[in-house]
Amino acid sequence: DQQVKQNSPSLSVQEGRISILNCDYTNSMFDYFLWYKKYPAEGPTFLISISSIKDKNEDGRFTVFLNKSAKHLSLHIVPSQPGDSAVYFCAGNNNAGNMLTFGGGTRLMVKP
Amino acid sequence: DADVTQTPRNRITKTGKRIMLECSQTKGHDRMYWYRQDPGLGLRLIYYSFDVKDINKGEISDGYSVSRQAQAKFSLSLESAIPNQTALYFCATKQGAGGGELFFGEGSRLTVL
């Protein structure tokens, strides 16, 4: 049973428009959520995070929204740039178990 | 030089062979992890270690073993490789508990024929 799900395996947007990547989770013990970005032939790199006590966190063009009642979070990228083309993973942190659980990833393609 | 280094970066082997993937870090972090990535399944945790004397199984540890030789080194072994262990393997490090980020190596691509 996947505790973290990213139901869209891929997303294509035009440069300059908004990209919205979605993530659903089932584990109520997650106290922190993180987004990672992965380019081909590289390891994932941290992008942005949000504590479970917040509903929004913003860092430049990236904003993460958390809806705890729906067990849903989303990553907004505005404006999208071709360099944002990558695979994005969301992850939940279970502090009791001290581990990150990742979703399956969404491949974002930003077209010039 | 990368803070988290994995060797080898690519390896092709045959069913039944023993394989070791090595990871070393210069970040001074206490926690180290091994994940595997499969298409559509994201990153799944194989083993993790909070310090040299602490080793824990992750969600998919069957068929794998690990060794934490030093704080900076964490190796993953496949005692008898099988084709469904073909995947991209990542080592990661983290300092302490809580919601801090993991730092990943560049990955080791393993193909088992």
Side-chain angles (χ1 to χ4, degrees):
Chain A
D1 179 36
Q2 282 190 290
Q3 297 182 46
V4 180
K5 287 186 179 179
Q6 295 176 253
N7 291 316
S8 297
S10 65
L11 174 67
S12 181
V13 300
Q14 206 66 37
E15 181 179 6
R17 306 294 288 266
I18 184 171
S19 296
I20 300 176
L21 294 88
N22 294 302
C23 180
D24 297 297
Y25 64 95
T26 58
N27 189 340
S28 299
M29 297 299 292
F30 288 147
D31 62 348
Y32 221 89
F33 299 89
L34 302 90
W35 284 93
Y36 280 79
K37 177 178 181 179
K38 184 184 178 304
Y39 291 119
E42 295 183 11
T45 55
F46 170 75
L47 185 60
I48 191 169
S49 63
I50 187 167
S51 166
S52 61
I53 63 173
K54 306 231 168 157
D55 55 18
K56 177 182 175 182
N57 187 29
E58 189 172 355
D59 183 2
R61 296 185 297 114
F62 303 91
T63 303
V64 56
F65 296 92
L66 174 62
N67 182 335
K68 280 188 71 175
S69 61
K71 291 190 172 66
H72 177 84
L73 61 155
S74 60
L75 174 67
H76 293 210
I77 306 173
V78 183
S80 301
Q81 299 174 354
D84 296 328
S85 298
V87 177
Y88 290 78
F89 294 99
C90 73
N93 180 71
N94 181 341
N95 206 34
N98 271 294
M99 62 177 70
L100 282 183
T101 302
F102 286 83
T106 296
R107 180 176 302 279
L108 173 66
M109 293 164 282
V110 180
K111 298 178 181 177
Chain B
D1 287 343
D3 293 326
V4 183
T5 303
Q6 293 182 228
T7 56
R9 294 292 312 278
N10 287 284
R11 182 72 183 269
I12 300 174
T13 191
K14 293 182 178 179
T15 296
K17 294 291 188 182
R18 183 178 188 274
I19 293 297
M20 180 182 286
L21 305 179
E22 298 187 359
C23 177
S24 62
Q25 54 125 340
T26 58
K27 298 189 76 67
H29 288 170
D30 55 351
R31 297 175 179 221
M32 297 187 75
Y33 304 77
W34 275 105
Y35 284 87
R36 68 176 274 178
Q37 182 191 358
D38 299 278
L41 295 177
L43 295 153
R44 292 182 294 165
L45 183 62
I46 306 172
Y47 270 96
Y48 60 105
S49 169
F50 289 167
D51 64 40
V52 174
K53 297 180 181 179
D54 179 79
I55 302 288
N56 304 281
K57 291 183 177 180
E59 59 180 309
I60 54 163
S61 59
D62 288 349
Y64 302 95
S65 62
V66 291
S67 174
R68 185 85 183 263
Q69 301 94 324
Q71 187 189 29
K73 295 184 183 295
F74 192 37
S75 60
L76 176 71
S77 294
L78 289 69
E79 295 301 325
S80 179
I82 55 176
N84 76 3
Q85 291 177 313
T86 293
L88 188 54
Y89 290 84
F90 288 100
C91 174
T93 72
K94 180 175 179 285
Q95 181 56 41
E101 64 182 281
L102 290 177
F103 292 85
F104 285 86
E106 294 182 320
S108 296
R109 183 168 295 281
L110 176 66
T111 303
V112 183
L113 302 176

